[in-house]
Amino acid sequence: MNTDEFEDRLKALRPRLHRYCARMTGSAVNGEDVLQDTLVKALHARADGAGVDNLEGWLFRIAHNASRDFLRARSRSTIVPLTEDVEAAPMAEADIVAFSFQTFLRLPELQRCAVILKDVLGHSVEEIAGIAECSPAAAKSALQRGRAALRQLAQAPEDTRLPLMSDSDRQKITAYVDLFRSGDFDAIRAMLADDVKLDLVNRLQWEGRDKIGLYFTRYAEETKWRFALGAVEGLPAMLVFDSTGPMERPAHFILVGWSESRIIEIRDFLFAPYVLEAIDWVRLG
């Protein structure tokens, strides 16, 4: 497999890898960060001559370890007490994906890994064991316990997370949204820091206010988008709706990072629709 073919396979597997990373980390946004780390590690390993017999299994093993590193750094893993006699039959994918990412985060690590890989992504118990680097018996046990835990959690009252947004953050994102609505992109450009970073997720990364100017020009030329103040996983966000289709859910969203009154980072998920799956979002205005 040459380099171009390898990178094409990475791109094709990106949505599946994100489904895993998002549920392992309990966040679609953090899952994208872990996914990017996974792909960088894969590319470096490839450049160093790593032999790969099973590309998908190899990538999921990297993603699994990257997710574990992320969780250990954040110390966010919570154990769910289980009984031994709860039914642990397979769960339909439609039922699985209905669980929020935060619900998955309440499972112990190996149980979370096993349920996601088997019931969401369709891996075998043997493949799960290879990815998680455990025995097939341990993988099978974790799968059964994880399924049982999710059924228990489904019976508990939903724990809705409300956006925690300071007045300052709300004022900044509100001003940003208002400028997009009015098409005053020159005013936005004036707010950019000299070393501002743009991450057009799954497409490109730019740095510097001069390069990023074209990004706003493209938005100015597109008339179908509608913009709203919102929050994604508790983070201030601009929700973007497609006026040519259903408006019940955003088509994508944009996160903006600030340093005092200057914009230092823009993360636009236009080209990463997979991130919206089961994400926690709320429209605020």
Side-chain angles (χ1 to χ4, degrees), residues 195-210:
D195 57 351
V196 60
K197 295 179 180 179
L198 169 68
D199 184 4
L200 198 53
V201 178
N202 198 24
R203 180 57 60 94
L204 57 82
Q205 293 180 329
W206 284 341
E207 182 172 350
R209 61 187 303 167
D210 293 338

Side-chain angles (χ1 to χ4, degrees), residues 168-169 172 191 257-264:
S168 175
D169 286 344
K172 289 173 181 176
M191 298 162 66
W258 301 79
S259 176
E260 298 181 349
S261 61
R262 292 292 181 183
I263 296 171
I264 59 173

Side-chain angles (χ1 to χ4, degrees), residues 50 58 67 82 86 95 98 110 128-129 132 143 152 155-156 159 179 192 200 211 216-217 235 240 250 273:
W58 180 69
S67 297
L82 301 179
V86 180
D95 295 330
L110 185 56
I128 294 169
L143 175 63
Q152 289 183 347
Q155 305 304 314
D159 182 18
L179 290 170
L192 300 176
L200 198 53
K211 287 186 177 180
F216 297 105
T217 301
L235 300 172
V240 186

Side-chain angles (χ1 to χ4, degrees), residues 48-75:
D48 290 340
V52 183
D53 295 327
N54 177 354
L55 178 62
E56 184 167 338
W58 180 69
L59 287 171
F60 272 100
R61 188 157 56 249
I62 296 173
H64 176 71
N65 290 330
S67 297
R68 292 176 65 186
D69 291 343
F70 174 87
L71 289 169
R72 287 170 179 170
R74 297 291 182 93
S75 300

